[in-house]
Amino acid sequence: MSQRQALPIGVQTFEKLKESNQNYLYIDKTEHVYEMAKGYGYYFLSRPRRFGKSMLCSTMQALFEGKQALFEGLYIHDKWDWSEKFPVIRIDLSGINYENIKSVNDQLQNSLSKNCLKYGLQYEDLSLKGLGPKLGELIEKLYLKFNQKVVVLIDEYDKPIQDTLSNDDHLASNSLDVLRGFYSAIKASDQYIRFCFMTGITKFTGVGLFSGANNFNDITLDQRYASICGFTQSELENCFGDYFDQVDTEEVKTWYNGYNYLGDKVYNPFGILMFLDKGASFDNYWWDSGQPGFLAKMFEKGSYETYDLEGIELSSQELKQFTLSNLNLPSLLWQAGYLTIKKVIQEPFGGKSYVLASPNREIRMSLNMLFLISLTSVESNRLLKRSEAVRNLFKNDLSGFENNIRAMFSAIPYNNYVQNNIHKYEGYYASVMFSFLAGLGLKFRTEESNSKGRIDMVMETPTHIYVLEFKVNAPKPEGNERGEALEQIHEKRYYEPYLNDGRKIVLIGMQFSEQERNLDWFKAEVIS
C-alpha cells in the first residue's frame, strides 16, 4: 500500500506545500486559475473563512512569478507561458484582529512596506501622501522597474470591516472609508495592471470596488468557478487515497457537504481535513475554529425567527451585496457560509431569486446553538443538557421530554423577559424550540403547509414522527380535553401526509403561558 499523503492542515502557501518533503495532499485547482489568469481582468471571489482563499491567492502569486517547477504535474503546467514573469503585489489583511482605525492603517502600511522590500525599495521611497496614493505609486514604480505590468492580489479585503462591525457601527464605517481610499488606487492604476484578484467573505457596496472603469468581475456565483474552493465529491473519491476506507461516506456528506455555488456542491475543506486528522471523528471543526463577531451582534439586535431562515428567499441583489446602513442577516449568513443555495428561481421578467437553507449538519447544529443563546441568554454549558431531550425523543419518553422543555425555559433569565415582550408571541417559543432541537441534528421541518394550514413543526427519529403545534395564552384544558394546540392538529389533519410512512405518529400540543413564561400545558397522542 502506498504511503498516505500528508494532510495540509495549517499550510497557507502554495510554495511551502509543493516544496516541502512532507508530500502534502494537493487538490489541483489550476484549471480554474488558468481560465482567469490567461487574460487581463479584475476578479472578485466571496467564500467563507477557511475555504482555501489564501491558498488560491498564493497559487496565483507563484504562477505569475514564474515558479514553473512548483506546477509540474498540474493542469496548468504545459499551458502557461513561463517565459513571462510579473511583479506581484500581495496584500493580505487576514493576519490580525482589527480593534480600531489605527490597526487598519498600520496593517495597510505594513503590507505596503513588505511589498516594497520584496523588490528592493523602501517604504520611504513612496513620496505621495495617503495609503491609496502610495499603493498607486508602488504599482507604477514596479511597472517602470521591470517594464512589465503588475499583478495585484488582495486576500480578505473586508476583514477590517468585519472585525470593527462586531464592536461599533461607526468604527466599521470609518474602516470602510479607509479601505475605500486605499483600494481607489487600483482603478487609477489600470494602465499598469496585468491582473487583479480579490477575495473576501462579504461584498459591501460603497467600498468603491465594484463599479467604474475596472468593474470587478464577481465570480462568486459563476458556475465555471463553483468548485474553485472546497472539495467536490469526485475529488474526495479520487484524490484522498485510502483516507476514506472504512468511513461512512454518506454520513460525511451529511456533516460537511452541501455548499452550493451553482455547480458541483462542495465540502468544507477545513472540516474534511480535520475530520480525517482526528481519525474520522465527527465534530464541529469549522465552527469551533471561530465565528465572525458580527453574527452574535446581529442576533442580539434583530428579532429573527430562526426557522424562517430555513427556506428564506432572497433576490439576486439582496444575496450578493449590501451596505453598512442596510445589513441583511440572511445575506450575511449566506456569504459567511452558514446558509447555502437550495433552489434557484428564474423570475418571469428576468433576474433570479434564491432559496436558502443550512448546508449541512455541522452548521445547522452550531448556528442554532448560537441562535438559542441569543434568544434565551442561557449559557452554552447549561444548554448542552438539551441532548437529554433528544435522547428522550428517541426513546419516546415524552414525560422526560416535557421535563426537559420546562427545565430549559426555567433557565431563561428573568431580565430576558422584562426587557421586551417577545414572550407574548408564539414565534418566540417556536424559535426557541426550533433552535433547541435543531442544534442536535434532528431531522425536522417547520411551517410546512398542507391543504388546510401550516404545521408548526415536524420532527423525525428512526421509529417515530412527531407533529407539534404551539399556542400562547390559550385556555388551560380540563380533564381529558385536548387543548387548542392538539385540537388544531386534529382539525387541520396535519398528520395525514405521514400516515403511510410506517413509523409511529405522535401528536404533541404545547401551550405556553405569558405569565409563567413556560409550558402551561403539554399533551401527546399517538395516531394508530
Side-chain angles (χ1 to χ4, degrees):
M1 183 175 67
S2 60
Q3 184 179 7
R4 281 183 171 183
Q5 291 181 281
L7 299 172
I9 297 173
V11 180
Q12 295 292 314
T13 63
F14 179 74
E15 192 166 353
K16 178 180 178 180
L17 186 146
K18 298 298 291 184
E19 287 185 338
S20 172
N21 58 8
Q22 292 293 315
N23 186 28
Y24 281 117
L25 174 71
Y26 175 71
I27 306 300
D28 187 1
K29 302 290 186 178
T30 61
E31 181 175 359
H32 301 298
V33 173
Y34 178 69
E35 286 304 310
M36 280 189 287
K38 65 183 180 182
Y40 289 73
Y42 297 77
Y43 293 89
F44 170 75
L45 176 71
S46 168
R47 286 292 187 272
R49 61 186 175 82
R50 293 184 176 272
F51 244 72
K53 300 190 297 296
S54 295
M55 179 60 71
L56 188 59
C57 286
S58 178
T59 303
M60 290 179 175
Q61 180 177 348
L63 179 71
F64 282 108
E65 289 177 345
K67 297 178 179 179
Q68 181 178 0
L70 300 179
F71 292 86
E72 288 186 9
L74 302 182
Y75 173 88
I76 204 171
H77 184 262
D78 60 355
K79 300 172 181 62
W80 190 252
D81 182 1
W82 298 105
S83 66
E84 281 194 307
K85 297 183 180 181
F86 301 88
V88 178
I89 294 175
R90 175 87 181 270
I91 307 291
D92 185 355
L93 300 183
S94 65
I96 68 170
N97 292 321
Y98 300 88
E99 298 179 349
N100 48 50
I101 291 301
K102 183 179 184 302
S103 63
V104 178
N105 282 291
D106 287 350
Q107 182 68 0
L108 293 175
Q109 180 176 322
N110 185 49
S111 294
L112 287 176
S113 181
K114 285 182 177 179
N115 280 281
C116 285
L117 291 174
K118 175 182 174 182
Y119 293 105
L121 302 172
Q122 297 295 321
Y123 180 75
E124 291 73 19
D125 295 335
L126 304 178
S127 59
L128 296 179
K129 291 184 178 180
L131 292 168
K134 287 182 185 296
L135 173 59
E137 188 178 2
L138 176 59
I139 292 172
E140 183 177 358
K141 282 181 178 292
L142 293 181
Y143 171 76
L144 294 173
K145 180 175 182 176
F146 295 98
N147 193 29
Q148 189 67 278
K149 291 199 172 185
V150 179
V151 172
V152 180
L153 305 173
I154 301 177
D155 194 12
E156 303 287 9
Y157 91 96
D158 58 335
K159 180 68 157 50
I161 306 175
Q162 289 183 48
D163 284 1
T164 51
L165 183 63
S166 64
N167 297 322
D168 185 291
D169 291 342
H170 183 67
L171 188 58
S173 180
N174 288 341
S175 297
L176 190 146
D177 288 340
V178 171
L179 294 178
R180 182 188 296 116
F182 184 71
Y183 296 136
S184 64
I186 297 173
K187 182 184 297 185
S189 305
D190 181 64
Q191 60 184 315
Y192 307 121
I193 293 177
R194 158 69 172 80
F195 180 83
C196 183
F197 182 70
M198 178 176 293
T199 77
I201 294 176
T202 48
K203 185 177 179 182
F204 287 99
T205 57
V207 80
L209 289 170
F210 306 111
S211 63
N214 59 352
N215 186 23
F216 275 74
N217 181 5
D218 185 351
I219 61 170
T220 301
L221 288 179
D222 189 323
Q223 186 176 3
R224 295 170 296 177
Y225 303 104
S227 58
I228 194 170
C229 292
F231 302 144
T232 65
Q233 185 66 39
S234 175
E235 288 166 345
L236 251 65
E237 294 171 358
N238 298 316
C239 303
F240 280 79
D242 66 348
Y243 270 109
F244 285 96
D245 290 356
Q246 312 302 317
V247 172
D248 186 343
T249 54
E250 286 303 310
E251 190 72 359
V252 174
K253 186 182 296 185
T254 298
W255 269 84
Y256 304 116
N257 194 278
Y259 292 92
N260 177 19
Y261 296 101
L262 306 187
D264 290 338
K265 290 182 180 179
V266 293
Y267 287 84
N268 181 321
F270 182 80
I272 287 293
L273 294 177
M274 292 300 297
F275 167 76
L276 295 175
D277 182 65
K278 300 300 182 182
S281 175
F282 293 101
D283 210 337
N284 301 333
Y285 298 111
W286 181 72
W287 178 271
D288 290 343
S289 67
Q291 308 89 39
F294 63 74
L295 280 183
K297 180 181 178 182
M298 288 200 70
F299 290 166
E300 292 167 2
K301 288 175 63 176
S303 54
Y304 301 102
E305 294 184 352
T306 57
Y307 52 84
D308 282 345
L309 295 175
E310 295 285 338
I312 194 168
E313 183 179 322
L314 294 182
S315 68
S316 177
Q317 192 71 10
E318 290 173 317
L319 186 73
K320 293 180 182 178
Q321 56 191 29
F322 41 80
T323 65
L324 283 178
S325 61
N326 186 29
L327 291 176
N328 181 294
L329 178 63
S331 180
L332 273 170
L333 290 173
W334 174 73
Q335 294 191 23
Y338 303 111
L339 295 175
T340 196
I341 295 171
K342 290 296 184 182
K343 182 180 179 182
V344 180
I345 301 173
Q346 186 68 52
E347 300 295 354
F349 297 106
K352 296 177 181 177
S353 295
Y354 302 92
V355 178
L356 307 180
S358 302
N360 52 48
R361 181 177 293 166
E362 177 188 13
I363 302 307
R364 188 175 301 113
M365 292 170 64
S366 303
L367 185 60
N368 277 285
M369 170 63 94
L370 186 60
F371 261 127
L372 188 57
I373 294 171
S374 173
L375 285 165
T376 65
S377 300
V378 177
E379 297 176 2
S380 60
N381 61 332
R382 296 181 69 185
L383 289 174
L384 289 175
K385 297 179 181 179
R386 68 207 168 117
S387 57
E388 183 180 321
V390 173
R391 288 196 293 269
N392 283 331
L393 282 177
F394 270 71
K395 295 185 296 184
N396 196 36
D397 179 359
L398 297 182
S399 177
F401 177 68
E402 177 186 355
N403 290 334
N404 299 139
I405 301 302
R406 291 184 182 278
M408 188 267 294
F409 278 101
S410 295
I412 299 176
Y414 175 74
N415 286 342
N416 205 57
Y417 291 107
V418 296
Q419 292 172 359
N420 53 59
N421 63 354
I422 54 177
H423 59 285
K424 297 181 180 181
Y425 303 104
E426 290 175 21
Y428 173 72
Y429 294 97
S431 289
V432 172
M433 289 296 301
F434 176 91
S435 297
F436 182 77
L437 297 166
L440 287 166
L442 274 176
K443 186 176 180 181
F444 59 87
R445 291 178 296 281
T446 60
E447 294 287 307
E448 188 168 74
S449 299
N450 69 7
S451 60
K452 297 184 178 182
R454 296 173 68 88
I455 310 169
D456 277 347
M457 188 179 297
V458 177
M459 301 184 299
E460 299 183 32
T461 72
T463 57
H464 290 76
I465 295 176
Y466 296 94
V467 180
L468 291 84
E469 185 69 25
F470 309 112
K471 294 292 180 186
V472 175
N473 294 334
K476 192 169 184 178
E478 297 181 1
N480 292 322
E481 293 180 9
R482 287 171 171 162
E484 283 189 11
L486 194 57
E487 193 62 51
Q488 182 171 323
I489 298 177
H490 278 278
E491 180 183 339
K492 304 292 186 180
R493 303 182 68 83
Y494 289 153
Y495 50 83
E496 276 192 339
Y498 314 104
L499 289 175
N500 295 323
D501 181 274
R503 287 173 286 182
K504 288 185 177 180
I505 300 173
V506 180
L507 315 181
I508 299 178
M510 294 190 195
Q511 298 185 183
F512 295 89
S513 165
E514 172 192 343
Q515 183 177 0
E516 298 296 328
R517 304 183 186 94
N518 209 318
L519 270 177
D520 186 47
W521 181 260
F522 180 101
K523 190 173 180 65
E525 185 177 316
V526 177
I527 295 291
S528 301

